[in-house]
PDB file of all heavy atoms in Angstrom:
ATOM      1  N   LEU A1196     175.399  33.888  -6.168  1.00 76.00           N
ATOM      2  CA  LEU A1196     174.437  32.930  -6.979  1.00 76.00           C
ATOM      3  C   LEU A1196     174.248  33.558  -8.330  1.00 76.00           C
ATOM      4  O   LEU A1196     173.062  33.284  -8.957  1.00 76.00           O
ATOM      5  CB  LEU A1196     173.097  32.848  -6.185  1.00 76.00           C
ATOM      6  CG  LEU A1196     173.102  32.060  -4.892  1.00 76.00           C
ATOM      7  CD1 LEU A1196     171.792  32.274  -4.206  1.00 76.00           C
ATOM      8  CD2 LEU A1196     173.472  30.578  -5.206  1.00 76.00           C
ATOM      9  N   SER A1197     175.240  34.207  -8.948  1.00 73.00           N
ATOM     10  CA  SER A1197     175.072  34.909 -10.194  1.00 73.00           C
ATOM     11  C   SER A1197     174.699  34.007 -11.308  1.00 73.00           C
ATOM     12  O   SER A1197     174.090  34.488 -12.270  1.00 73.00           O
ATOM     13  CB  SER A1197     176.232  35.782 -10.435  1.00 73.00           C
ATOM     14  OG  SER A1197     177.408  34.942 -10.561  1.00 73.00           O
ATOM     15  N   ASP A1198     175.200  32.801 -11.318  1.00 72.00           N
ATOM     16  CA  ASP A1198     174.945  31.787 -12.386  1.00 72.00           C
ATOM     17  C   ASP A1198     173.674  30.988 -12.182  1.00 72.00           C
ATOM     18  O   ASP A1198     173.442  30.092 -12.940  1.00 72.00           O
ATOM     19  CB  ASP A1198     176.108  30.977 -12.546  1.00 72.00           C
ATOM     20  CG  ASP A1198     177.306  31.791 -13.138  1.00 72.00           C
ATOM     21  OD1 ASP A1198     177.153  32.858 -13.681  1.00 72.00           O
ATOM     22  OD2 ASP A1198     178.502  31.386 -12.878  1.00 72.00           O
ATOM     23  N   VAL A1199     172.945  31.219 -11.113  1.00 72.00           N
ATOM     24  CA  VAL A1199     171.825  30.404 -10.805  1.00 72.00           C
ATOM     25  C   VAL A1199     170.510  31.142 -11.140  1.00 72.00           C
ATOM     26  O   VAL A1199     170.376  32.289 -10.904  1.00 72.00           O
ATOM     27  CB  VAL A1199     171.807  30.069  -9.189  1.00 72.00           C
ATOM     28  CG1 VAL A1199     170.604  29.241  -8.947  1.00 72.00           C
ATOM     29  CG2 VAL A1199     173.023  29.265  -8.901  1.00 72.00           C
ATOM     30  N   PHE A1200     169.763  30.455 -11.911  1.00 70.00           N
ATOM     31  CA  PHE A1200     168.420  31.000 -12.260  1.00 70.00           C
ATOM     32  C   PHE A1200     167.561  31.344 -11.093  1.00 70.00           C
ATOM     33  O   PHE A1200     167.312  30.438 -10.152  1.00 70.00           O
ATOM     34  CB  PHE A1200     167.665  29.975 -13.146  1.00 70.00           C
ATOM     35  CG  PHE A1200     166.315  30.477 -13.487  1.00 70.00           C
ATOM     36  CD1 PHE A1200     166.136  31.600 -14.494  1.00 70.00           C
ATOM     37  CD2 PHE A1200     165.254  29.899 -13.048  1.00 70.00           C
ATOM     38  CE1 PHE A1200     164.875  31.998 -14.921  1.00 70.00           C
ATOM     39  CE2 PHE A1200     163.939  30.327 -13.496  1.00 70.00           C
ATOM     40  CZ  PHE A1200     163.850  31.305 -14.371  1.00 70.00           C
ATOM     41  N   ASP A1201     167.147  32.569 -10.929  1.00 65.00           N
ATOM     42  CA  ASP A1201     166.204  33.002  -9.802  1.00 65.00           C
ATOM     43  C   ASP A1201     164.994  33.487 -10.355  1.00 65.00           C
ATOM     44  O   ASP A1201     164.991  34.233 -11.431  1.00 65.00           O
ATOM     45  CB  ASP A1201     167.066  34.141  -9.061  1.00 65.00           C
ATOM     46  CG  ASP A1201     166.556  34.304  -7.663  1.00 65.00           C
ATOM     47  OD1 ASP A1201     165.659  33.533  -7.305  1.00 65.00           O
ATOM     48  OD2 ASP A1201     166.922  35.250  -6.993  1.00 65.00           O
ATOM     49  N   ILE A1202     163.921  33.294  -9.654  1.00 74.00           N
ATOM     50  CA  ILE A1202     162.577  33.732 -10.136  1.00 74.00           C
ATOM     51  C   ILE A1202     162.269  34.923  -9.419  1.00 74.00           C
ATOM     52  O   ILE A1202     162.802  35.324  -8.361  1.00 74.00           O
ATOM     53  CB  ILE A1202     161.517  32.671  -9.997  1.00 74.00           C
ATOM     54  CG1 ILE A1202     161.352  32.283  -8.466  1.00 74.00           C
ATOM     55  CG2 ILE A1202     161.851  31.380 -10.820  1.00 74.00           C
ATOM     56  CD1 ILE A1202     160.144  31.291  -8.169  1.00 74.00           C
ATOM     57  N   ASP A1203     161.329  35.869 -10.033  1.00 74.00           N
ATOM     58  CA  ASP A1203     160.953  37.075  -9.410  1.00 74.00           C
ATOM     59  C   ASP A1203     159.941  36.961  -8.287  1.00 74.00           C
ATOM     60  O   ASP A1203     159.890  37.732  -7.373  1.00 74.00           O
ATOM     61  CB  ASP A1203     160.334  37.938 -10.511  1.00 74.00           C
ATOM     62  CG  ASP A1203     161.420  38.339 -11.589  1.00 74.00           C
ATOM     63  OD1 ASP A1203     162.596  38.455 -11.218  1.00 74.00           O
ATOM     64  OD2 ASP A1203     161.034  38.521 -12.765  1.00 74.00           O
ATOM     65  N   HIS A1204     159.008  35.956  -8.334  1.00 77.00           N
ATOM     66  CA  HIS A1204     158.046  35.745  -7.442  1.00 77.00           C
ATOM     67  C   HIS A1204     157.967  34.517  -6.664  1.00 77.00           C
ATOM     68  O   HIS A1204     157.206  33.603  -6.821  1.00 77.00           O
ATOM     69  CB  HIS A1204     156.669  35.980  -8.111  1.00 77.00           C
ATOM     70  CG  HIS A1204     156.506  37.255  -8.907  1.00 77.00           C
ATOM     71  ND1 HIS A1204     156.552  38.521  -8.286  1.00 77.00           N
ATOM     72  CD2 HIS A1204     156.597  37.483 -10.236  1.00 77.00           C
ATOM     73  CE1 HIS A1204     156.390  39.408  -9.185  1.00 77.00           C
ATOM     74  NE2 HIS A1204     156.434  38.939 -10.349  1.00 77.00           N
ATOM     75  N   PHE A1205     159.049  34.288  -5.865  1.00 78.00           N
ATOM     76  CA  PHE A1205     159.146  33.023  -5.088  1.00 78.00           C
ATOM     77  C   PHE A1205     158.206  33.178  -3.895  1.00 78.00           C
ATOM     78  O   PHE A1205     158.308  34.027  -3.094  1.00 78.00           O
ATOM     79  CB  PHE A1205     160.652  32.864  -4.583  1.00 78.00           C
ATOM     80  CG  PHE A1205     160.748  31.677  -3.611  1.00 78.00           C
ATOM     81  CD1 PHE A1205     160.639  30.322  -4.121  1.00 78.00           C
ATOM     82  CD2 PHE A1205     160.931  31.781  -2.236  1.00 78.00           C
ATOM     83  CE1 PHE A1205     160.762  29.302  -3.240  1.00 78.00           C
ATOM     84  CE2 PHE A1205     161.053  30.831  -1.413  1.00 78.00           C
ATOM     85  CZ  PHE A1205     160.960  29.431  -1.926  1.00 78.00           C
ATOM     86  N   THR A1239     164.781  23.761  -6.465  1.00 83.00           N
ATOM     87  CA  THR A1239     165.959  24.595  -6.716  1.00 83.00           C
ATOM     88  C   THR A1239     165.758  26.022  -6.004  1.00 83.00           C
ATOM     89  O   THR A1239     166.546  26.431  -5.261  1.00 83.00           O
ATOM     90  CB  THR A1239     166.333  24.788  -8.146  1.00 83.00           C
ATOM     91  OG1 THR A1239     166.629  23.423  -8.757  1.00 83.00           O
ATOM     92  CG2 THR A1239     167.470  25.698  -8.398  1.00 83.00           C
ATOM     93  N   GLN A1240     164.630  26.568  -6.266  1.00 87.00           N
ATOM     94  CA  GLN A1240     164.285  27.822  -5.665  1.00 87.00           C
ATOM     95  C   GLN A1240     164.250  27.783  -4.075  1.00 87.00           C
ATOM     96  O   GLN A1240     164.638  28.690  -3.477  1.00 87.00           O
ATOM     97  CB  GLN A1240     162.939  28.423  -6.266  1.00 87.00           C
ATOM     98  CG  GLN A1240     163.113  28.708  -7.725  1.00 87.00           C
ATOM     99  CD  GLN A1240     164.295  29.706  -8.121  1.00 87.00           C
ATOM    100  OE1 GLN A1240     164.474  30.664  -7.338  1.00 87.00           O
ATOM    101  NE2 GLN A1240     165.022  29.362  -9.182  1.00 87.00           N
ATOM    102  N   LEU A1241     163.679  26.564  -3.666  1.00 89.00           N
ATOM    103  CA  LEU A1241     163.633  26.420  -2.157  1.00 89.00           C
ATOM    104  C   LEU A1241     165.036  26.390  -1.630  1.00 89.00           C
ATOM    105  O   LEU A1241     165.409  26.953  -0.568  1.00 89.00           O
ATOM    106  CB  LEU A1241     162.896  25.219  -1.847  1.00 89.00           C
ATOM    107  CG  LEU A1241     162.686  24.855  -0.444  1.00 89.00           C
ATOM    108  CD1 LEU A1241     161.855  25.904   0.319  1.00 89.00           C
ATOM    109  CD2 LEU A1241     162.081  23.446  -0.242  1.00 89.00           C
ATOM    110  N   ILE A1243     167.744  27.694  -3.016  1.00 86.00           N
ATOM    111  CA  ILE A1243     168.400  29.017  -3.067  1.00 86.00           C
ATOM    112  C   ILE A1243     167.866  29.997  -1.960  1.00 86.00           C
ATOM    113  O   ILE A1243     168.683  30.687  -1.332  1.00 86.00           O
ATOM    114  CB  ILE A1243     167.984  29.710  -4.481  1.00 86.00           C
ATOM    115  CG1 ILE A1243     168.727  29.022  -5.627  1.00 86.00           C
ATOM    116  CG2 ILE A1243     168.357  31.200  -4.488  1.00 86.00           C
ATOM    117  CD1 ILE A1243     168.247  29.418  -7.008  1.00 86.00           C
ATOM    118  N   ALA A1244     166.552  29.777  -1.684  1.00 88.00           N
ATOM    119  CA  ALA A1244     166.088  30.672  -0.497  1.00 88.00           C
ATOM    120  C   ALA A1244     166.704  30.275   0.793  1.00 88.00           C
ATOM    121  O   ALA A1244     167.059  31.132   1.471  1.00 88.00           O
ATOM    122  CB  ALA A1244     164.475  30.521  -0.449  1.00 88.00           C
ATOM    123  N   LYS A1247     170.307  31.642   0.872  1.00 85.00           N
ATOM    124  CA  LYS A1247     170.350  33.102   1.133  1.00 85.00           C
ATOM    125  C   LYS A1247     170.147  33.429   2.580  1.00 85.00           C
ATOM    126  O   LYS A1247     170.725  34.353   3.000  1.00 85.00           O
ATOM    127  CB  LYS A1247     169.389  33.748   0.115  1.00 85.00           C
ATOM    128  CG  LYS A1247     169.723  33.829  -1.345  1.00 85.00           C
ATOM    129  CD  LYS A1247     168.582  34.544  -2.126  1.00 85.00           C
ATOM    130  CE  LYS A1247     169.065  34.655  -3.607  1.00 85.00           C
ATOM    131  NZ  LYS A1247     168.037  35.289  -4.448  1.00 85.00           N
TER     132      LYS A1247
END
Side-chain angles (χ1 to χ4, degrees):
L1196 292 172
S1197 62
D1198 294 336
V1199 177
F1200 176 71
D1201 198 6
I1202 60 174
D1203 295 328
H1204 304 290
F1205 176 72
T1239 299
Q1240 295 305 317
L1241 183 63
I1243 291 169
K1247 286 180 177 178

